[in-house]
Amino acid sequence: MDRIRDLASKKAAVIFTKSSCCMCHSIKALFYELGASPAIHELDQDSCGREMERALRSLGCNPTVPAVFIGGQFVGSAKDVISLHVDGSLKQLLINARAIWF
């Protein structure tokens, strides 16, 4: 859990993913389209990936990826991020966290 919190606080936007996850790819593409450059942590490429996946599950991530943090705060999974984008609040969260500047 500490490693998740540490990694999540190092950049304004952080996404925990798996390289084979299509929803992870979609969320990363959305962030890039909005002008953000999130830190991406591929759990299936990290030696501590299984441990981090368990920690994400304990935070309430189900499924565990993608898990999105903005400004060090857990935002949610793909459905949560898409909902925020549809209602217009995702961009403002990214601006407030200084992940984007416009």
Side-chain angles (χ1 to χ4, degrees), residues 12-13 31 34-36 70-71 88-102:
F31 273 64
L34 291 171
I70 298 175
S89 58
L90 178 60
K91 188 172 183 178
Q92 191 58 51
L93 281 174
L94 291 168
I95 290 169
N96 292 347
R98 299 185 181 200
I100 59 175
W101 291 271
F102 52 89

Side-chain angles (χ1 to χ4, degrees), residues 31-52:
F31 273 64
Y32 295 138
E33 186 177 309
L34 291 171
S37 295
I40 306 294
H41 298 283
E42 302 274 358
L43 299 183
D44 56 341
Q45 305 295 319
D46 191 301
S47 61
C48 297
R50 288 188 192 265
E51 178 185 322
M52 289 193 290

Side-chain angles (χ1 to χ4, degrees), residues 4-94:
I4 295 291
R5 291 189 198 284
D6 182 50
L7 291 172
S9 67
K10 288 192 175 187
K11 257 193 117 170
V14 177
I15 306 173
F16 292 91
T17 70
K18 286 186 178 178
S19 57
S20 61
C21 172
C22 63
M23 287 308 295
C24 295
H25 175 76
S26 298
I27 295 301
K28 290 187 287 188
L30 173 61
F31 273 64
Y32 295 138
E33 186 177 309
L34 291 171
S37 295
I40 306 294
H41 298 283
E42 302 274 358
L43 299 183
D44 56 341
Q45 305 295 319
D46 191 301
S47 61
C48 297
R50 288 188 192 265
E51 178 185 322
M52 289 193 290
E53 198 168 354
R54 281 191 294 275
L56 288 168
R57 193 171 289 115
S58 73
L59 282 174
C61 300
N62 191 16
T64 54
V65 292
V68 177
F69 291 78
I70 298 175
Q73 299 298 310
F74 177 59
V75 172
S77 64
K79 67 179 178 66
D80 303 306
V81 171
I82 291 167
S83 293
L84 290 170
H85 181 57
V86 168
D87 78 13
S89 58
L90 178 60
K91 188 172 183 178
Q92 191 58 51
L93 281 174
L94 291 168

